[in-house]
Amino acid sequence: MSRRENTALPREVVEIGVVAGGLRRMVDRMGDRVAFGAAALASLAAVALIALVIDRVVSGAMPSISRFGIGFLWQTTWNPSLSSGVRDSNVYGAGVLVYGTVVTSAIALVISVPLGVAIGVYLSLLSSGRLAGVVGPLVELLAAVPSVIVGLWGIVVLAPALHSTIDPALHAALGWLPIFGKPGTTGLGIFDAGVVLAIMVLPILAAITRDLFANVPRELKDGALALGATRWEMIRGVVLDSTRSGIVAATILGLARALGEAIAVTQTIGAGTAIHASLFASGDTLGSRIAEQFIGAVSKLQIASLFYCALILLVMEFLASIGAQLIAGRSVRVRGAVI
Amino acid sequence: MAAIGGRHPLGTSAALHRRRRIDRLMRGSATAAAILAVAILGIMIGTVVVNGASELSIAFLIKDPPGGSLVGVAGGGIANAIVGSALLVVVATAIALPVGVLIAVYLTEFSTPRTARPIRMALDLLNGLPTIVTGIFVFGLLVASHGQSGIAASVALAVVILPLITRTTQEILLLVPKELRDAAHALGVSRWRTIAGVVLPGALGGILTGVVLAVARAAGETAPLLLTDSIFSARTSINVFGAAIPNIPIDIFSYSESPFPAEHAKAWGAALVLIAMILLGNLTARAMLSRQRRRLGWMPTSQR
């Protein structure tokens, strides 16, 4: 619209136009503010949510913290009985659970880290594009199977299969180690839970290491091959070597997943109450004890002690998350500086 | 290396043979590992399908379980749990979606590196939060004072899927070309109109993908429900603010721990229903995502 046409308009129309323009500018300014405010508020809510989680869990655990203190971490008595005649009635300690959590997670990592890294190598470097396009999503689908179904499968299929094959074989070959004691014929145990956790951690490790390896600069890989290295020598010398800290970070993330899993472990660990040397015996973890006892808890102190277990998990999780970030962050910075 | 040229001046040496053998061995192991993972998935889903199919029928899908004192008997279905699970997931998504999208908008459109860091960290911590701890948290927040309810379960599920929705939304917002935003700014379009009219519509497909993935994830979560929504009647209930609402994961969990074979069979039937929903959701999301990425010119990391 030219200026002349504009001036030809009646005065009222021009005024309406000016007012409308001003109105639009005002709406825009308000809109910008509202959009920014809403987005910032939501982001603030995420930070507040973490604070709220810590606050709720700590305050729920408080009676148990003040009663048992830090010794809760290694005391092995867990006795919800309320009858006064029983020794140590209503006394709680998470020693057995901390041990079970650490050992099941260790088993899970021993199995899943080499396998996960191997799958990452396969998906990023060895398979042709089309095959990787099928296998990759299938491995990721494994992560989508709900833990309650993995656990059900663990009870009915995996545990009996392990009991008749792997358990006796390990006992025969390495039976002189107390951890591979005589496997029982029935019943679930720490080893079953560890293998179930390995299956749940595997897709996480495979997905992270695949992306890690795919991002190693092509020139480095080609350079190694041009110098006469075989594919494996290139993978070992260039790819695995340059992504070492990334692999460690991925392992920590896998560990975090294994530490916190409750349902599938509850179903397969056999709900033991003592520490056994043998991995084939029953045990329990922090998460699975919460899942087993929370709803049927008989006293306030038992509930508080289960909150205390959750607090230990929370601290483990935060340490793992921060550790993974520090390590991965450093590796990214180092790589950025070199290339 | 003395072996080089040992047999023939230009022939392959024993050392090279050894290197090649190791190369083949290691590559073979990596392939075997991938096959093992796919085989585990196949066996797992196969077991669920074989065991679940015998239980599955129209009646199983549309009938409530035989309630009251009838424990461990065959017959009845899980209609109450199917309706309940759907309801819990819908409410959880309705809570988490707007918050998640707003956080993603903040991170991509408004944040500075200094303000982004604490938010990213909070999201990472939320993402790593064990779901049983999420359950305990919501128990302390809502259930301890008001008792188990559908809304408590939905809040817990919302906490679980919030980082998931934020991450997928953020990933797709970053893919919306910068030129589109620049063009809008150059035309004098205000920031919020750019976001509402250009950025979000461009990312709509990606956001929907994130929602589908989040729904699939929330549908299978068991640990948070165990503490917030596990003691329920055999009747279908749709009042989220009332008593606990029946749901599939808790059904599978309690049936799988039951001593009655008839209930084990029901656990498999319910597992089949759940896994079918989840796999369907994941495959849909995957198809949507690859279409969306093609549209926005994204390339997989392996080709970058």
Side-chain angles (χ1 to χ4, degrees), chain A:
Chain A
M1 215 183 280
S2 77
R3 187 168 276 271
R4 182 172 304 168
E5 274 170 338
N6 212 352
T7 50
L9 286 169
R11 205 187 150 89
E12 292 79 9
V13 174
V14 174
E15 272 173 1
I16 288 170
V18 169
V19 168
L23 198 66
R24 192 189 156 94
R25 264 199 300 283
M26 219 168 72
V27 167
D28 277 356
R29 252 205 311 276
M30 290 289 291
D32 277 0
R33 282 211 192 123
V34 168
F36 176 80
L41 202 66
S43 304
L44 216 58
V47 180
L49 186 58
I50 279 291
L52 193 60
V53 169
I54 296 170
D55 171 67
R56 283 292 101 189
V57 173
V58 169
S59 71
M62 224 44 204
S64 184
I65 295 175
S66 55
R67 177 77 181 275
F68 304 115
I70 193 77
F72 184 81
L73 284 174
W74 54 83
Q75 294 300 327
T76 54
T77 309
W78 183 284
N79 189 355
S81 164
L82 288 177
S83 55
S84 50
V86 183
R87 205 167 62 87
D88 283 343
S89 64
N90 210 18
V91 166
Y92 304 94
V96 176
L97 313 178
V98 171
Y99 170 83
T101 306
V102 171
V103 171
T104 48
S105 301
I107 296 171
L109 289 187
V110 165
I111 298 171
S112 62
V113 168
L115 279 177
V117 170
I119 296 171
V121 165
Y122 172 81
L123 290 175
S124 60
L125 303 165
L126 298 180
S127 61
S128 62
R130 185 166 298 175
L131 203 58
V134 178
V135 176
L138 283 177
V139 173
E140 279 174 26
L141 268 191
L142 192 55
V145 179
S147 54
V148 71
I149 293 182
V150 179
L152 176 63
W153 180 78
I155 301 173
V156 178
V157 179
L158 182 69
L162 289 176
H163 293 170
S164 60
T165 56
I166 309 259
D167 292 6
L170 278 174
H171 179 64
L174 300 163
W176 49 274
L177 285 170
I179 56 168
F180 297 115
K182 194 159 174 50
T185 44
T186 56
L188 300 156
I190 284 195
F191 188 68
D192 301 311
V195 175
V196 162
L197 285 178
I199 291 173
M200 302 180 73
V201 171
L202 185 62
I204 299 174
L205 280 162
I208 300 178
T209 53
R210 176 195 57 197
D211 293 348
L212 208 58
F213 300 155
N215 280 327
V216 173
R218 203 193 177 109
E219 304 84 73
L220 293 184
K221 301 180 205 164
D222 289 348
L225 292 176
L227 287 173
T230 62
R231 290 291 282 275
W232 162 243
E233 286 163 347
M234 177 274 283
I235 290 165
R236 200 190 56 184
V238 174
V239 176
L240 294 183
D241 195 58
S242 67
T243 54
R244 216 178 315 157
S245 53
I247 296 174
V248 173
T251 305
I252 295 176
L253 289 177
L255 173 68
R257 178 83 178 81
L259 289 173
E261 175 54 40
I263 297 298
V265 174
T266 307
Q267 287 166 298
T268 52
I269 201 166
T273 51
I275 294 177
H276 300 284
S278 173
L279 299 182
F280 302 130
S282 64
D284 217 344
T285 69
L286 293 163
S288 92
R289 181 60 59 93
I290 299 171
E292 282 153 23
Q293 296 198 347
F294 202 93
I295 291 307
V298 290
S299 68
K300 288 238 161 35
L301 195 57
Q302 189 182 0
I303 296 250
S305 299
L306 292 168
F307 265 94
Y308 202 166
C309 290
L311 179 61
I312 301 171
L313 272 181
L314 197 63
V315 172
M316 285 178 165
E317 214 61 52
F318 282 8
L319 290 179
S321 177
I322 291 165
Q325 238 154 58
L326 284 180
I327 292 169
R330 202 175 60 211
S331 83
V332 170
R333 270 204 297 282
V334 168
R335 222 184 301 146
V338 170
I339 297 153

